[in-house]
Amino acid sequence: PDMAGDLPLCMNGYSRVAGTRIPKLTRDEFVVAKNSTHMTVISDNIPYRLEVIKNGTAIPESEIARHLQAIVQHSSEYRLTSDSIYSIGILTSENRDTWATARDRIMCLSEQNNKNLSDIESSLLVVCLDEISPADVKDFSKIVLMRNRNRYYDKLQVIISKDGQVGWNMEHTGYDGQVLGRVILDVYADATDTPLKHVNLSSLPTPQPLFFSTNSTIQTTIKQAESNWNDFIASTDVSTLVFDEYGKNLIKKFKLPPDAYFQAVAQLATKRIYGKVVPTYESSSVRNYSHGRTETIRPVTTALKDFIDKFEDSVSDAAKYEALQKATKAHQSVVKASKTGEGIDRHLQGLYWTALQKAWRIYQYKVPNFFTDGNYKYYMSNVLSTSNLGGDLRGMKVFGFGAVTASGVGLGYLVNSDSIVTCTTSYTQRSQIWHDHFSQSLRDVKNLCNKFT
């Protein structure tokens, strides 16, 4: 099993990587096809079924490569001769009830539609062969996070650009980032340690396209989904930062824990933007428990706020440095509590949803004031939502996710040995502004620490 030091971690998440989120009215289902032998490939907005396991044995990579080349050629030729392809993949970006209704209509149109959807939903994963080459890491980050064609967001997607860059887009329902991170590392190691040397591209196999029948109602829904998704893409600001002036090696020389240091600097940058510290989320893996998923780390402690206030005040550098030491120590305590069953967020969420369900079922039941006076809502607003996958990960340049509140920032980060890499998202054009403040805050805090180490 995976280990955290000497502690074995639950491996259940890996059994759900091949799962699919199925749209249903009011509440979706998550389904895993445990005996799947195929994957879905999307090229030029056309989905294909591709067998990758035969008689319990993986098909050779060279043969899979031949099939992929055949799919690229077929989709390109078909795209140039047909203007009637309606991609249902865009519907996975829609409101879930809208998609659920459209899915039912698509299935009712023909038995072939039914089979095609079953093929996609029961596949191991979706490989998206894009026809574009991103300009840079920032461009590719946004393309991987959200694009208006060649996608199916209800499953794990491996996105491959025309120039060979690879990104992963996960459907988060069944498992968490730590699990996918391990999958990515293993795939990268296999691909680089035993590279594919030669592929015979003569007499290519015949692809299996999954064409869907549609009608005017479904076509209208698809067009509206495209419009809605394009608007959302346009409103989402994505920025990446590779800060290469220092990383965890120097932070450790300061005798400070790297993640706690990062969170302190992140809050300093955030205060410089918002004028105050804000409700902040940091994910904490609890795979040390059976079927454990995540708990919440709340980085904004009283000690951290004290450091932020003093750093921007005219107190002595010694007082600022002492406050930073106390803040990072407090962060370590919060992290430990989250991993040992003493976190409070998941417990409170359980109580909150139980109260809501009682209010729906029981006449005149009143949700407790604790959840309705505004404080809990603000606490859960997570204006700064953060997630950390560690650092020095072979094959992983950057990772990110969408901000979880309209005025907030989503922050994925890697603290490498000699660099800090972040990807931020915002719906209010704050991503680059946040990065600018964060870079300066990293320099400011480093200058402070250099005076005492």
Side-chain angles (χ1 to χ4, degrees), residues 2 23-24 109 295 326 350 397 423:
D2 292 345
K24 298 288 182 181
L109 268 185
E295 179 52 274
K326 290 180 178 179
K397 292 183 178 179
C423 178

Side-chain angles (χ1 to χ4, degrees), residues 85-374:
I85 298 174
Y86 285 86
S87 170
I88 69 161
I90 193 68
L91 294 172
T92 62
S93 70
E94 255 291 7
N95 171 276
R96 300 307 293 180
D97 284 351
T98 301
W99 170 211
T101 301
R103 178 177 177 274
D104 288 344
R105 287 173 175 162
I106 290 168
M107 293 172 67
C108 288
L109 268 185
S110 73
E111 186 57 38
Q112 187 62 48
N113 281 0
N114 233 321
K115 182 180 181 302
N116 289 348
L117 269 173
S118 177
D119 281 346
I120 294 173
E121 292 170 354
S122 65
S123 61
L124 293 167
L125 74 163
V126 176
V127 174
C128 306
L129 303 177
D130 281 2
E131 75 287 358
I132 56 176
S133 297
D136 50 32
V137 172
K138 176 182 175 180
D139 186 31
F140 193 43
S141 294
K142 185 159 187 178
I143 288 169
V144 172
L145 182 64
M146 47 183 13
R147 195 184 176 213
N148 63 356
R149 57 182 281 112
N150 236 43
R151 298 290 184 267
Y152 199 90
Y153 290 104
D154 286 353
K155 291 192 67 68
L156 172 64
Q157 300 172 97
V158 180
I159 298 161
I160 306 173
S161 66
K162 188 176 181 179
D163 60 356
Q165 297 183 67
V166 180
W168 300 67
N169 185 301
M170 68 182 289
E171 207 301 304
H172 210 323
T173 303
Y175 56 98
D176 301 301
Q178 190 184 74
V179 169
L180 181 59
R182 165 68 188 274
V183 171
I184 292 173
L185 294 179
D186 286 352
V187 170
Y188 182 82
D190 182 70
T192 54
D193 293 345
T194 56
L196 190 59
K197 295 182 179 179
H198 176 72
V199 178
N200 181 5
L201 297 180
S202 62
S203 302
L204 292 174
T206 303
Q208 299 181 52
L210 305 176
F211 292 126
F212 286 84
S213 302
T214 61
N215 58 23
S216 59
T217 300
I218 294 170
Q219 291 169 14
T220 298
T221 304
I222 289 174
K223 290 177 181 178
Q224 186 60 56
E226 290 174 345
S227 177
N228 293 344
W229 193 233
N230 284 337
D231 289 345
F232 188 64
I233 290 173
S235 70
T236 304
D237 177 35
V238 178
S239 179
T240 56
L241 170 69
V242 180
F243 183 88
D244 58 6
E245 297 178 25
Y246 68 95
K248 64 183 177 185
N249 284 344
L250 182 61
I251 297 171
K252 288 180 179 179
K253 288 182 180 179
F254 296 153
K255 297 182 180 180
L256 297 171
D259 185 63
Y261 181 95
F262 178 97
Q263 288 289 341
V265 176
Q267 283 301 323
L268 179 59
T270 301
K271 184 179 180 182
R272 289 172 171 179
I273 296 173
Y274 290 91
K276 60 182 179 180
V277 293
V278 298
T280 301
Y281 171 96
E282 180 184 358
S283 59
S284 174
S285 176
V286 289
R287 289 175 58 209
N288 46 310
Y289 294 99
S290 178
H291 289 207
R293 294 285 303 267
T294 63
E295 179 52 274
T296 303
I297 299 168
R298 291 293 175 182
V300 182
T301 60
T302 302
L304 180 56
K305 185 178 184 302
D306 180 61
F307 162 69
I308 300 299
D309 291 342
K310 285 181 177 175
F311 195 89
E312 300 289 70
D313 203 351
S314 57
V315 301
S316 68
D317 286 342
K320 294 177 182 179
Y321 184 66
E322 182 183 5
L324 175 60
Q325 290 178 308
K326 290 180 178 179
T328 56
K329 186 175 181 180
H331 184 81
Q332 285 185 300
S333 297
V334 174
V335 171
K336 182 178 179 181
S338 74
K339 293 182 178 298
T340 54
E342 296 180 9
I344 64 170
D345 271 60
R346 300 299 182 254
H347 180 67
L348 288 177
Q349 279 186 306
L351 292 175
Y352 176 61
W353 284 104
T354 299
L356 289 184
Q357 290 168 3
K358 282 188 173 182
W360 294 332
R361 297 194 321 264
I362 302 173
Y363 177 63
Q364 291 187 334
Y365 175 83
K366 185 178 180 181
V367 175
N369 290 338
F370 179 89
F371 296 115
T372 60
D373 65 5

Side-chain angles (χ1 to χ4, degrees), residues 420-438:
I420 295 172
V421 181
T422 62
C423 178
T424 57
T425 57
S426 166
Y427 311 119
T428 53
Q429 302 302 306
R430 281 190 167 103
S431 289
Q432 187 58 52
I433 296 171
W434 193 92
H435 272 153
D436 292 342
H437 281 285
F438 180 64

